Amino acid sequence: MSSQAIEASYPDAARPELAFDRGVPRTLVHKAAVSEVLLTDAVRTGTHRYTVAAQWPQHHVLFRSGTCPAGTADPQLLVETVRQAGIYLSHVYYDVPLHHPFVLTSLDYEIEPPDFRTTARTGPLSVLVDVTCRLDADTSDRFGMTLDATLTVDGRVEGRVGLCWQALGPERYERLRHPRGSASTGPAAPAAQALVLAAAQFGPEVFGRVHERDVMLADDRDGAPDSWRLRLDTAHPVYFDHSCDHIPGMSLIESFSQAAALCAARATGVGTGLLRWTLRSSAVSFLSFGELDAPVTITAERIPEPPECGRHTVRVAAEQGGRLLATAALIGVLGTAAAGGTR
């Protein structure tokens, strides 16, 4: 990012000096691969307020150039940037021990529509994240925080993300993870052998992705409309970058977006070959841990809205063995690749 862009965002007296030339230590954002580190720097700008620097890569195995086919910032990239910011700030500024597991409880985000600058971008993008935090708990074995962040690229706001999470001491985490002392599913290690996956229901291009492993949905065995099985690839280089003993929240977030797109398309008769789903906002609640060795059902329901709204609201849920893992409400715009318009 140019110095002019930084100066446009901050008065001279408050302008932070931030570096964009190297990533922060990967352990401070809970990543195994350096290539998955998005943050480059951070400074405190007030009481529980920070500015975080990040760089979105020009080419990435999942996020590609950082934008969706419709030109908006990739919601997964926005959320992952802020998720890393929350982890980094917890360790560096609030002394949360590195070995404390983090548990995401809720998130919401809003994405700004694209303009001429977003469609003309090339090369890596330098990002400023303005973060305001609120402490919800701070004890020796439990740290809780709510965070609200605004992401800016080249002086333009790309979106807003809110997160709520807890960092727990190992013993407290184990009690939460296995309240009845049940045996755990062993953690999936980075580059572990993938589970036998059901065939992807659609090609990755339908969802603005490149690889089949990025398709999170397979046909539901019961053949119910707007119901799918979660495709959980435990060798995925992004969702399983590091060891995890439960289904990663980011994989559920992506599956919800894909389910909402298919639900909206089916309700309006848009063929999947022409599908262009642009998310505008989402609110997700995580209710329980998902096990790695049991099937998960993703269901979606479109909420009727007046046609003049020009948008689609979809409720999505993930269920495993009779337990709700997470729920979400997503709002998006449905267009077609051929017409470029919205429905």
Side-chain angles (χ1 to χ4, degrees):
M1 176 175 289
S2 67
S3 59
Q4 289 85 356
I6 295 177
E7 288 170 359
S9 302
Y10 295 90
D12 286 342
R15 180 166 60 88
E17 297 296 334
L18 292 161
F20 293 89
D21 57 347
R22 64 176 62 86
V24 301
R26 57 188 174 83
T27 55
L28 294 179
V29 292
H30 296 187
K31 288 296 179 181
V34 173
S35 60
E36 293 306 308
V37 176
L38 301 174
L39 306 190
T40 62
D41 201 359
V43 294
R44 190 197 303 268
T45 57
T47 303
H48 301 308
R49 186 166 182 177
Y50 307 87
T51 298
V52 179
Q55 187 172 80
W56 291 347
Q58 183 176 5
H59 302 290
H60 187 273
V61 65
L62 177 64
F63 306 123
R64 299 198 300 179
S65 62
T67 58
C68 294
T72 61
D74 189 321
Q76 283 284 88
L77 183 54
L78 263 73
V79 172
E80 176 60 18
T81 302
V82 177
R83 191 184 74 87
Q84 290 188 21
I87 296 171
Y88 181 83
L89 295 176
S90 297
H91 290 313
V92 174
Y93 291 98
Y94 295 94
D95 298 322
V96 172
L98 287 174
H99 65 282
H100 282 203
F102 279 59
V103 179
L104 184 61
T105 55
S106 66
L107 74 89
D108 60 274
Y109 60 80
E110 299 173 354
I111 309 296
E112 289 297 314
D115 66 8
F116 71 94
R117 287 176 290 182
T118 61
T119 57
R121 288 173 180 156
T122 60
L125 301 178
S126 296
V127 184
L128 285 176
V129 189
D130 182 33
V131 178
T132 301
C133 300
R134 186 183 75 245
L135 281 174
D136 298 323
D138 189 6
T139 65
S140 61
D141 67 346
R142 177 172 176 255
F143 174 84
M145 180 172 280
T146 299
L147 173 157
D148 191 80
T150 300
L151 297 93
T152 304
V153 177
D154 294 333
R156 179 185 185 273
V157 173
E158 295 290 327
R160 187 200 63 81
V161 179
L163 294 180
C164 185
W165 75 94
Q166 299 181 66
L168 305 175
E171 292 183 1
R172 185 162 188 156
Y173 174 78
E174 188 62 24
R175 291 195 300 270
L176 177 67
R177 181 71 178 88
H178 307 291
R180 297 177 181 85
S182 58
S184 66
T185 301
Q193 178 64 40
L195 299 176
V196 177
L197 294 176
Q201 189 173 14
F202 302 99
E205 66 281 353
V206 171
F207 308 108
R209 300 301 181 201
V210 176
H211 306 287
E212 184 178 349
R213 66 191 176 206
D214 301 330
V215 179
M216 310 301 294
L217 305 176
D219 279 323
D220 184 75
R221 288 178 175 175
D222 296 329
D226 297 333
S227 179
W228 303 269
R229 293 176 62 198
L230 177 68
R231 298 182 76 241
L232 192 66
D233 182 355
T234 56
H236 195 286
V238 178
Y239 299 125
F240 286 90
D241 160 82
H242 57 283
S243 297
C244 190
D245 69 347
H246 58 273
I247 296 174
M250 293 298 290
S251 65
L252 290 177
I253 293 169
E254 176 69 6
S255 73
F256 284 176
S257 175
Q258 295 182 14
L262 296 179
C263 178
R266 190 184 70 81
T268 53
V270 175
T272 56
L274 299 175
L275 177 61
R276 178 178 287 177
W277 171 251
T278 304
L279 266 174
R280 293 289 172 82
S281 66
S282 178
V284 185
S285 295
F286 296 96
L287 307 174
S288 58
F289 292 99
E291 305 300 340
L292 296 169
D293 57 356
V296 174
T297 300
I298 306 294
T299 56
E301 176 189 11
R302 182 170 175 266
I303 308 304
E305 293 202 48
E308 58 268 21
C309 288
R311 67 184 187 186
H312 300 270
T313 300
V314 183
R315 291 179 182 156
V316 188
E319 179 269 336
Q320 184 181 63
R323 291 183 302 113
L324 270 178
L325 305 183
T327 62
L330 301 94
I331 297 175
V333 175
L334 192 65
T336 61
T342 59
R343 291 176 61 104

